[in-house]
Amino acid sequence: MNSTEGSLSQSGERAFGIYVHVPFCSVRCGYCDFNTYTADELGEGATRASYADTAILEIEQAGRSLPDAPPVQTVFFGGGTPTQLPSDDLVRVLHRVRRTFGLAEDVEVTTEANPDSVTPESLATLREGGFTRISFGVQSAVPHVLATLDRTHDPAGVPQAVRWAREAGFEQLSVDLIYGTPGESMTDWRASVEQAIALEPDHISAYALIVEDGTAFARKVRRGEVLMPDDDETADKYVLADELFSGAGLDWYELSNWARDEAAQCRHNVLYWRSADWWGIGPGAHSHVNGERWWNVKHPAAYAQRLTAGESPRHDGETIDAATARVEQIMLETRLRSGLRLDSLGTTARAAVPGVVARGLADVADDRLVLTRSGRLLADAVVRDLVEQG
Ligand SMILES: C[S@@+](CC[C@H](N)C(=O)[O-])C[C@H]1O[C@@H](n2cnc3c(N)ncnc32)[C@H](O)[C@@H]1O
Ligand code: SF4
């Protein structure tokens, strides 16, 4: 037993979730630096066919390390593209989570999916197997934007995938969008937002496109082949999305996430943002339990090799000290509509609050600091102010 495992068994009654990383995609989108592999990139030592069994070995290890863990409140299958695996495999992994830890009665079980990676049958198997929520990576409704992002799906297929999901019994359905793609006009973005709303999801995420170092997309930007929009244009797109989403009854609950009501929020992400406990299964997956954070070996072959040899896939980790935890709390809670608890701030960080409020970036209510819309556009600067004074 290593030092982390020694403290894990005391996870007690804190909220506890499981993340399952599925590191496979049919095509790698040029902008994405997630730990994922196409069939050509995977190499030897790991296969898609054996992945569920390998992940199950880690779940069993986790169960031995955390004998007193409470029933799991949220399970999130992310990627990569989880729906690249047969639905039966995903259900088998979920069942092993249930057998190992137990699932809370109202457990939320989400899978991410690309719209062209599902069928009516695969969705029915997931729903019958216990999945309660699906999050489709739609990104844009506009073909030239999808082409710049290397997305494989035909936008005309998205309403069909959503209909299939509803017919399979998924009431909780989310749509992911990206704004700020080179060449995307304001009219393009409005069309994407309006088409997302027309799908009547109960949840939408909209993230600005990030240029990640080392990606094919970053190389194109560096060579001047594509031009990133300026910050003002990206901010205007955020404001447009926020206005249209709230007009359609979807209110923000985190900077980049909107939900129809509290029940429609992604409880798994809320668990991250509240620094609760979760175990991340899979290559490169991060875990956070009882003030310890660790992450697994990155490559699926190394991951499989460790587990089949009966070893932990853990690569490295750290203990989160009180100062780091305080900074992280400021960073995470400031992004939430429920706001940053002021009673948890040091006196010097509190001293920054009146300035933030005077500049119209936040309001204070019930001893919490809540960003205004202008504050949401400058959230990083607000966090910097609070952290530097903290
Ligand atoms: C990693 S993907 C996994 C789910 C699925 N494969 C998909 O693409 O929808 C999750 C989300 O991260 C987004 N994402 C990945 N790289 C990004 C980047 N550089 N900037 C903004 N969003 C990004 C994707 O577009 C997607 O909506
Ligand atoms: S954005 Fe999604 S589909 Fe594209 S490479 Fe990343 S994980 Fe795969």
Side-chain angles (χ1 to χ4, degrees), residues 205-381:
S205 304
Y207 285 94
L209 179 63
I210 297 168
V211 182
E212 300 284 4
D213 281 349
T215 58
F217 183 72
R219 288 190 286 280
K220 279 191 188 167
V221 172
R222 209 175 41 242
R223 290 196 295 259
E225 289 166 29
V226 290
L227 191 65
M228 285 302 283
D230 66 31
D231 289 349
D232 286 349
E233 186 183 327
T234 308
D236 287 347
K237 285 182 176 167
Y238 180 87
V239 170
L240 177 68
D242 189 49
E243 282 171 0
L244 294 177
F245 292 153
S246 47
L250 293 151
D251 287 324
W252 78 285
Y253 69 102
E254 192 269 354
L255 281 184
S256 305
N257 288 275
W258 289 259
R260 192 157 298 286
D261 52 32
E262 200 178 335
Q265 295 178 4
C266 176
R267 281 164 46 207
H268 187 79
N269 281 338
V270 171
L271 181 146
Y272 290 154
W273 298 327
R274 297 209 177 287
S275 294
D277 292 333
W278 72 90
W279 191 298
I281 301 290
H286 286 235
S287 301
H288 176 271
V289 182
N290 271 350
E292 302 253 352
R293 179 164 34 223
W294 70 95
W295 46 95
N296 286 346
V297 289
K298 192 168 175 199
H299 198 280
Y303 175 75
Q305 194 233 325
R306 292 268 193 106
L307 283 158
T308 46
E311 294 166 10
S312 162
R314 174 184 153 135
H315 175 62
D316 206 352
E318 64 195 5
T319 301
I320 303 159
D321 60 37
T324 308
R326 226 177 5 255
V327 170
E328 289 183 357
Q329 186 199 341
I330 293 175
M331 289 170 67
L332 294 168
E333 285 190 0
T334 302
R335 297 176 62 91
L336 296 173
R337 190 179 195 157
S338 53
L340 172 65
R341 285 170 289 152
L342 294 179
D343 63 1
S344 63
L345 292 184
T347 40
T348 41
R350 258 178 180 264
V353 169
V356 169
V357 173
R359 279 182 286 148
L361 301 178
D363 297 316
V364 172
D366 295 333
D367 213 28
R368 285 171 179 265
L369 184 78
V370 182
L371 294 177
T372 58
R373 186 184 273 155
S374 343
R376 279 188 271 157
L377 297 170
L378 294 169
D380 290 344

Side-chain angles (χ1 to χ4, degrees), residues 36-356:
T36 187
Y37 303 80
T38 62
D40 288 347
E41 290 168 347
L42 192 55
E44 292 185 359
T47 63
R48 291 180 184 202
S50 58
Y51 186 70
D53 288 323
T54 311
I56 282 170
L57 291 175
E58 189 185 357
I59 294 167
E60 289 167 346
Q61 279 191 3
R64 288 193 290 275
S65 293
L66 278 178
D68 302 329
V72 172
Q73 292 172 355
T74 63
V75 188
F76 193 101
F77 287 69
T81 307
T83 43
Q84 283 278 301
L85 289 185
S87 293
D88 284 332
D89 281 5
L90 300 179
V91 168
R92 218 149 47 80
V93 172
L94 175 60
H95 284 179
R96 188 53 65 120
V97 172
R98 175 187 287 124
R99 271 174 52 188
T100 305
F101 295 105
L103 300 179
E105 210 169 304
D106 62 345
V107 66
E108 171 193 278
V109 185
T110 305
T111 186
E112 294 184 325
N114 291 27
D116 56 358
S117 67
V118 294
T119 63
E121 296 74 27
S122 70
L123 290 162
T125 303
L126 291 173
R127 186 69 192 94
E128 283 157 20
F131 285 72
T132 63
R133 189 172 178 276
I134 188 153
S135 172
F136 282 116
V138 169
Q139 319 308 351
S140 169
V142 180
H144 77 85
V145 175
L146 290 169
T148 304
L149 295 172
D150 300 321
R151 301 296 295 193
T152 54
H153 68 267
D154 175 353
V158 172
Q160 184 185 54
V162 166
R163 195 173 62 249
W164 289 343
R166 292 235 163 79
E167 285 166 5
F170 282 100
E171 285 167 14
Q172 289 203 279
L173 192 145
S174 180
V175 164
D176 270 9
L177 296 177
I178 283 185
Y179 58 98
T181 301
E184 179 190 61
S185 66
M186 199 54 92
T187 310
D188 292 336
W189 176 236
R190 176 184 280 274
S192 296
V193 169
E194 286 175 345
Q195 291 198 28
I197 290 170
L199 298 169
E200 299 187 350
D202 66 353
H203 185 283
I204 297 183
S205 304
Y207 285 94
L209 179 63
I210 297 168
V211 182
E212 300 284 4
D213 281 349
T215 58
F217 183 72
R219 288 190 286 280
K220 279 191 188 167
V221 172
R222 209 175 41 242
R223 290 196 295 259
E225 289 166 29
V226 290
L227 191 65
M228 285 302 283
D230 66 31
D231 289 349
D232 286 349
E233 186 183 327
T234 308
D236 287 347
K237 285 182 176 167
Y238 180 87
V239 170
L240 177 68
D242 189 49
E243 282 171 0
L244 294 177
F245 292 153
S246 47
L250 293 151
D251 287 324
W252 78 285
Y253 69 102
E254 192 269 354
L255 281 184
S256 305
N257 288 275
W258 289 259
R260 192 157 298 286
D261 52 32
E262 200 178 335
Q265 295 178 4
C266 176
R267 281 164 46 207
H268 187 79
N269 281 338
V270 171
L271 181 146
Y272 290 154
W273 298 327
R274 297 209 177 287
S275 294
D277 292 333
W278 72 90
W279 191 298
I281 301 290
H286 286 235
S287 301
H288 176 271
V289 182
N290 271 350
E292 302 253 352
R293 179 164 34 223
W294 70 95
W295 46 95
N296 286 346
V297 289
K298 192 168 175 199
H299 198 280
Y303 175 75
Q305 194 233 325
R306 292 268 193 106
L307 283 158
T308 46
E311 294 166 10
S312 162
R314 174 184 153 135
H315 175 62
D316 206 352
E318 64 195 5
T319 301
I320 303 159
D321 60 37
T324 308
R326 226 177 5 255
V327 170
E328 289 183 357
Q329 186 199 341
I330 293 175
M331 289 170 67
L332 294 168
E333 285 190 0
T334 302
R335 297 176 62 91
L336 296 173
R337 190 179 195 157
S338 53
L340 172 65
R341 285 170 289 152
L342 294 179
D343 63 1
S344 63
L345 292 184
T347 40
T348 41
R350 258 178 180 264
V353 169
V356 169

Side-chain angles (χ1 to χ4, degrees), residues 24-25 27-29 31-32 34 36 79-81 114 139 151:
F24 309 118
C25 285
V27 170
R28 174 179 289 276
C29 308
Y31 64 91
C32 176
F34 279 65
T36 187
T81 307
N114 291 27
Q139 319 308 351
R151 301 296 295 193

